[in-house]
Amino acid sequence: MKTTSKPKKGEAKLFEQIAQYIQQQKNNTFNYKQVSAAIGAKTGPKQRIVAMRLYELSLDGEIVEVAPGKYKAPNRSNIMTGTFVRRSNGKNSVVTDEDGESIFVAERNSMHALNGDKVRVMVSAARRGAEPEAEVVEILEKNDQVFIGVLTVERGYALLNTDSKFLATDIFIPKEKLRGGKTGDKVVARITAWPEHANMPKGEVVDVLGKNGDNNTEIHAILAEFGLPYKYPEAVERAAKRIGPGITPEEIAKREDCREVLTFTIDPKDAKDFDDALSIRKLANGHYEVGVHIADVTHYVHPDTSLDKEAQKRATSIYLVDRVVPMLPEHLSNGVCSLRPNEEKLTFSCIFEMDENGTVFNHRIGKTVICSNRRFAYEEAQEIIETGKGEYAEEILILDKIAKALRAERFKKGAMEFDRAEVKFNLDENGKPVGVYYKVSKDANKLVEELMLLANRTVATAIGKPAGNKKPKAFVYRIHDKPDEQKLNDLASMASAFGYRIKTTGSPREINRSINQMLKEVKGRGEENLLSVLALRSMAKAVYSVDNIGHYGLCFDYYTHFTSPIRRFPDMMVHRLLAKYLDGGRSANQDKLEEQCEHSSKMEQTAINAERSSIKYKQVEFMQERIGEEYAGVISGVTEWGLYVELTENLCEGLIPIRDLGDDYYELDERNFRLIGRRTGRSFRLGDEVVVRVARADLQRRQLDFVLVEDKGNGLQFEQPKPRKRDHKKTGSRRK
């Protein structure tokens, strides 16, 4: 029986417009807001009619509701292909190639497909009031993947217990496939078979990482979990060690000789791979010649060699809590290419004629040879900036003045200003965290940052906007898209509730300046946490691409990465292209470059995820000895399964499971970033201040659980904690 109501007077035309819109969508999904905007239904009553009409059409099977409030025309074939998504909680699904929709797959209908497998599925006809289901009928392509877990070895076999979110069962491993693994070892394993009626898959050990709980073992396990390398192939190491400095008179003759110009590096105190150096000298006209010198890595690493292929595959160095996993073998990254003091080095340089106000009168880009006079740690350079005293103080103070002028001009043009402290750990000799501290960007950091930004922008502009009427050649850009429109509107709406105005239309400069102004005004206020987090989350991710759309956050029309070729493969790509074009070479193959850009962007995000995972591991390890202690914190995430809280004192983040909010039944108000009690109406919102007790610290799952003690007046009042004498030397507060 049809449920669709007959159109009332004046609704017929609206219904017709809705039908026409749906016909045009093919496989696209839509909601009532999109339909309303497309057909000009701007008033609240008309939009409610549109929403009700879509609901009625979905009940009659005229359209399919693929997610709450999200619809599409029912033109889906019964047989489709897609990517299988396996979950340890049994909520498996397939993401279809046709339209990217997610369809539930029961375990009995999965053919034991693994996460990431390409599959062919048969989609059942949707029943009224129920979502469609799919059944895997063929596994088209197996996704090569590994699982990390702890072994329990029995007499003739072993079981691997994994904490994978993609597998709900142990892996059965025959004894002859253990590679020497013993009970309690953490290993990397691969599934080799999963018979149809078997409860668990069969596998083999790929690598034994070491004893469960050992620092090296756990760090290597994190790398393996993300598919990242934790050791170099021996052949690549041997190839690297055969490379010498190669600074011959013949090579020097091909380059600009900058060895007599005052040059120094400014880096973290524990750094060994010095990508960049700065030089400065005063010119006769009163201006300054400022050089940004970058290690000429591609002089040593040639295309299509084993070294180059390994660097391209890795795409980036990985910075974990206790180590760096370098993109290039240490013989190159810390030795031959590193711009160490009192050593002649081959470099690729941007050299500027500037005044103290940061005005650039001219520049040149080319191959050089340098000899660094001094290595500064950031702390040393910062002390010189603050006191005006120290070695090369005059030169550092001039560079600081130039950098501050460049920075001020950048923000004047609308660049975004996000300053967030990084959490760092003091580790003992076994890698155990014994303290937490914040790394805050100071003037010395910003000095280097501004000059690197200038070099990157100059190189990108030189190729992307060549002088005269020359046509730009294919190049690698670092691009950053404009903010997500919906997230920006949500930010503006939330800011408006607190009395702040954020522009959502206009030029990037106007929008960004309004956000920067809000971030300044909100400093120290109760709503600072909420609005600063929302502002950060509204931003898109920066990626590499040959299609230049500019860098929104920096407000640069042309931007690239040129300054860190020791640790980023895109910088090596830029060096090669730049050298080729400066010599008059033809434009490179754009499609091939884009493929490499996409891989580099993907690997960059994977490396970031691994870094966050290592930080999380150390946070949990640090908090293990603090079970039962109480801390002030801020709600950093709101989900249907609970509240994430970041502790003020040490930035450790944990979860308050929703099951532990036992005073009411809480529901997620996604639009307003809060959980709200159904009975009391009281809420917990992103940015709210709370006091929590550390309840559990699970190292294997890298998970901290908190229980709420006090909500600082945001919601219900819980038991009052007993105050403990505060240590004023530490940031934040902690009670025991």
Side-chain angles (χ1 to χ4, degrees), residues 256-476:
E256 181 176 349
D257 192 342
C258 300
R259 290 176 293 177
E260 298 303 316
V261 182
L262 174 63
T263 304
F264 45 79
T265 59
I266 306 176
D267 289 282
K269 59 185 176 183
D270 56 351
K272 296 176 182 176
D273 53 343
F274 309 139
D275 277 291
D276 53 84
L278 301 173
S279 69
I280 182 170
R281 64 179 170 186
K282 194 164 186 176
L283 301 175
N285 62 3
H287 294 160
Y288 293 92
E289 184 183 85
V290 176
V292 177
H293 307 283
I294 309 302
D296 191 2
V297 173
T298 55
H299 176 80
Y300 302 102
V301 181
H302 300 145
D304 299 323
T305 59
S306 61
L307 262 173
D308 180 62
K309 289 175 181 176
E310 184 69 21
Q312 183 176 341
K313 179 182 172 185
R314 294 177 177 232
T316 181
S317 294
I318 305 157
Y319 291 82
L320 303 178
V321 167
D322 67 338
R323 72 194 67 192
V324 177
V325 182
M327 180 181 75
L328 296 168
E330 289 189 7
H331 177 71
L332 293 177
S333 62
N334 295 356
V336 172
C337 297
S338 186
L339 307 183
R340 300 186 296 197
N342 304 313
E343 294 181 14
E344 292 181 347
K345 295 290 179 178
L346 301 181
T347 46
F348 211 153
S349 305
C350 283
I351 301 174
F352 304 92
E353 181 185 339
M354 310 176 72
D355 63 16
E356 289 186 7
N357 298 318
T359 304
V360 177
F361 297 96
N362 57 63
H363 72 271
R364 61 188 184 274
I365 304 170
K367 297 288 186 90
T368 55
V369 58
I370 68 165
C371 184
S372 174
N373 300 85
R374 173 78 148 80
R375 183 226 162 167
F376 287 98
Y378 278 122
E379 292 81 0
E380 293 175 297
Q382 184 63 31
E383 187 175 351
I384 291 171
I385 291 170
E386 290 175 1
T387 65
K389 298 177 181 178
E391 195 172 8
Y392 305 131
E394 182 182 349
E395 290 81 4
I396 286 178
L397 290 173
I398 292 167
L399 288 176
D400 178 58
K401 187 175 181 181
I402 290 172
K404 283 173 177 166
L406 290 170
R407 186 174 177 85
E409 182 64 20
R410 191 160 58 82
F411 289 135
K412 184 179 176 182
K413 290 180 177 177
M416 294 301 302
E417 187 172 7
F418 288 111
D419 279 333
R420 181 167 170 81
E422 292 181 57
V423 62
K424 297 287 183 179
F425 294 90
N426 291 316
L427 306 174
D428 66 14
E429 64 276 6
N430 298 315
K432 185 178 179 180
V434 292
V436 183
Y437 65 95
Y438 301 158
K439 179 185 173 185
V440 180
S441 184
K442 295 186 177 181
D443 287 341
N445 305 78
K446 293 170 183 176
L447 183 163
V448 175
E449 178 187 11
E450 289 303 326
L451 291 171
M452 296 306 119
L453 290 176
L454 177 62
N456 286 332
R457 177 162 55 103
T458 301
V459 167
T461 306
I463 304 303
K465 191 181 178 183
N469 295 320
K470 293 180 181 178
K471 187 179 178 181
K473 295 177 180 178
F475 202 56
V476 173

Side-chain angles (χ1 to χ4, degrees), residues 188 209 215-225 228 230 323:
V188 182
L209 299 175
N215 184 64
N216 265 350
T217 299
E218 298 303 331
I219 296 298
H220 286 169
I222 289 169
L223 291 166
E225 177 187 336
L228 296 169
Y230 43 90
R323 72 194 67 192

Side-chain angles (χ1 to χ4, degrees), residues 647-663:
L647 304 183
T648 307
E649 179 178 316
N650 53 36
L651 300 187
C652 293
E653 187 179 61
L655 176 71
I656 303 174
I658 200 165
R659 65 175 180 270
D660 290 343
L661 296 173
D663 64 292

